[in-house]
Amino acid sequence: MNSIDTGLLDNWLALWNGDYILAYRLVTNDFTVHAALLDGGDGSALNGPTGLVGWITKTRAAFPDLRFTVEVGPIADGDHVALRWVATGTYDGGFPGATARPGTPVRFTGTDFLRMAGDRIAEYWLNSDTHLLVTQLGVRP
């Protein structure tokens, strides 16, 4: 990817904003995730479009109005693209260990690194500020 395909990145954000059908056009069938997940996993079990949609759906269950926007980027280098995002939304309940009341606003940030294979995303590295999120939700160790 020599130039940044802003349409693809717009669709990537739309996918995270709840337009799940886009996963089947955006990511490869062998798409892989690299992330430190809240359940202690490393993301390796999240494969392909179906795995990605399942993860996004689970994330959005506690924050149905969660909205992702780009704060910095995108920045491209060869077949890699990076961007920093901000997520805002309202807690709706159901997050394990949360003491926050439903209706609590949340805001957290993260960085996505994407490896492209042709016109699709093949790998995804995520670094998000989950510490800030769980603090806003009142999760205690």
Side-chain angles (χ1 to χ4, degrees):
M1 180 173 186
N2 295 328
S3 64
I4 299 170
D5 183 343
T6 56
L8 181 131
L9 294 177
D10 289 345
N11 285 335
W12 177 249
L13 285 178
L15 168 61
W16 279 93
N17 287 330
D19 193 351
Y20 302 130
I21 196 70
L22 290 170
Y24 300 91
R25 288 193 344 231
L26 289 175
V27 303
T28 61
N29 288 333
D30 61 349
F31 171 84
T32 57
V33 174
H34 310 276
L37 303 179
L38 289 172
D39 65 4
D42 64 1
S44 61
L46 304 169
N47 295 309
T50 303
L52 179 59
V53 168
W55 180 34
I56 296 171
T57 301
K58 184 176 178 182
T59 300
R60 295 184 62 81
F63 315 96
D65 66 345
L66 196 59
R67 185 87 180 139
F68 290 84
T69 57
V70 174
E71 186 177 55
V72 176
I75 302 165
D77 183 17
D79 62 354
H80 289 85
V81 178
L83 58 107
R84 179 174 168 83
W85 48 260
V86 175
T88 56
T90 309
Y91 177 55
D92 199 37
F95 194 94
T99 59
R101 293 177 172 250
T104 299
V106 297
R107 181 184 187 281
F108 60 104
T109 61
T111 305
D112 289 355
F113 294 95
L114 309 170
R115 183 180 65 80
M116 304 303 300
D119 62 349
R120 290 182 157 194
I121 301 167
E123 284 185 273
Y124 173 38
W125 290 263
L126 168 65
N127 183 350
S128 65
D129 192 350
T130 53
H131 179 71
L132 178 58
L133 175 62
V134 296
T135 299
Q136 291 173 60
L137 296 177
V139 175
R140 308 271 188 256

